[in-house]
Amino acid sequence: MASGSASTWRTTEMSAARPARTQLRVGRLVKAHGLKGALKLELYTDDPDGRFVPGAVFTLQVPESSPWHGKSVTVREFKWMNSHPVVFIDGIDDRDGAESIVRAILWLDQEETDAAPEEDAWYDHQLVGLDVVRDGAVIGRVTQVDHLPSQDLLSVKLGDGREVLVPFVKAIVPEVDVAAGRLVVTPPAGLFEELPADEAPVAEAASEAPDDADEG
């Protein structure tokens, strides 16, 4: 997880097709590495060496147009190369094969009865329905969690009926209290209300979490 005030919380997502299981989002394939099919990873887990063991199977989140849509992959090898996490996948043996799966998000099936999510991570169903609190007052409720490659977004229904997408980053959502049924927001100007015409919106700049995984 990235550090700093804009660091991203993590979520897991219920599998609609298999209600007895959950899916934990553990990584994203960032870029091809070398000529033998290796792929650099952006990690969404605090235990990569435990998650990416040989034989581990992941389902893929990719566009419907991708040849990998609806498929799963199996880890052949995981290693650290120059401090970067790198994974080898069964059936991908060259750079072209690796390029075909770049940007895929990896989800790991996990039993509901398994250990609780990692620190600073929640299942989608734990977040949906939470009251959204701003300056001590409830202003709305979380209705949905959307997963994007860069970060997650909370869909919040406000008291006036409007739906607002809130980046799920610590700078904007500093506190999540599932037991109390609420989360606290400290939104930048313009996220929940329109700014005067002479003020420039800053929501977009404030909401973007750093993504350094593609560099180097």
Side-chain angles (χ1 to χ4, degrees):
M1 183 173 67
S3 60
S5 61
S7 58
T8 305
W9 296 112
R10 293 189 303 277
T11 65
T12 64
E13 185 176 28
M14 286 291 294
S15 171
R18 288 166 290 178
R21 303 180 71 86
T22 63
Q23 285 194 311
L24 180 68
R25 188 182 66 154
V26 294
R28 180 168 66 103
L29 301 175
V30 176
K31 61 171 65 174
H33 180 76
L35 303 176
K36 297 182 179 180
L39 287 141
K40 283 188 176 181
L41 278 166
E42 177 183 2
L43 298 173
Y44 303 144
T45 174
D46 293 330
D47 184 24
D49 293 291
R51 297 293 187 190
F52 291 93
V53 295
V57 177
F58 298 97
T59 55
L60 300 173
Q61 179 183 334
V62 294
E64 292 186 3
S65 58
S66 169
W68 292 95
H69 181 69
K71 297 182 179 180
S72 61
V73 294
T74 302
V75 173
R76 183 169 76 248
E77 183 180 2
F78 173 80
K79 62 175 61 178
W80 296 88
M81 302 180 70
N82 297 324
S83 299
H84 293 291
V86 173
V87 67
F88 293 82
I89 293 173
D90 282 351
I92 296 180
D93 301 309
D94 56 30
R95 190 176 184 88
D96 287 342
E99 292 284 3
S100 72
I101 200 173
V102 163
R103 300 292 182 181
I105 296 176
L106 304 178
W107 294 82
L108 177 67
D109 282 346
Q110 188 176 39
E111 298 290 347
E112 279 277 28
T113 54
D114 283 354
E118 299 163 10
E119 184 180 359
D120 294 348
W122 294 270
Y123 296 118
D124 285 12
H125 70 271
Q126 292 178 297
L127 298 171
V128 173
L130 293 184
D131 287 334
V132 177
V133 178
R134 180 185 188 185
D135 297 329
V138 176
I139 62 169
R141 180 166 293 180
V142 179
T143 60
Q144 184 174 316
V145 182
D146 294 320
H147 302 281
L148 301 181
S150 59
Q151 64 187 21
D152 296 326
L153 295 174
L154 304 179
S155 181
V156 175
K157 187 171 185 178
L158 302 178
D160 60 10
R162 288 183 297 132
E163 293 272 356
V164 177
L165 293 177
V166 177
F168 194 36
V169 296
K170 288 185 178 180
I172 298 176
V173 188
E175 179 183 343
V176 177
D177 191 337
V178 173
R182 69 174 204 159
L183 57 81
V184 175
V185 294
T186 54
L191 184 59
F192 288 119
E193 61 279 312
E194 292 187 8
L195 291 173
D198 59 345
E199 294 187 25
V202 297
E204 291 186 5
S207 66
E208 293 182 358
D211 184 4
D212 297 329
D214 292 351
E215 297 179 3

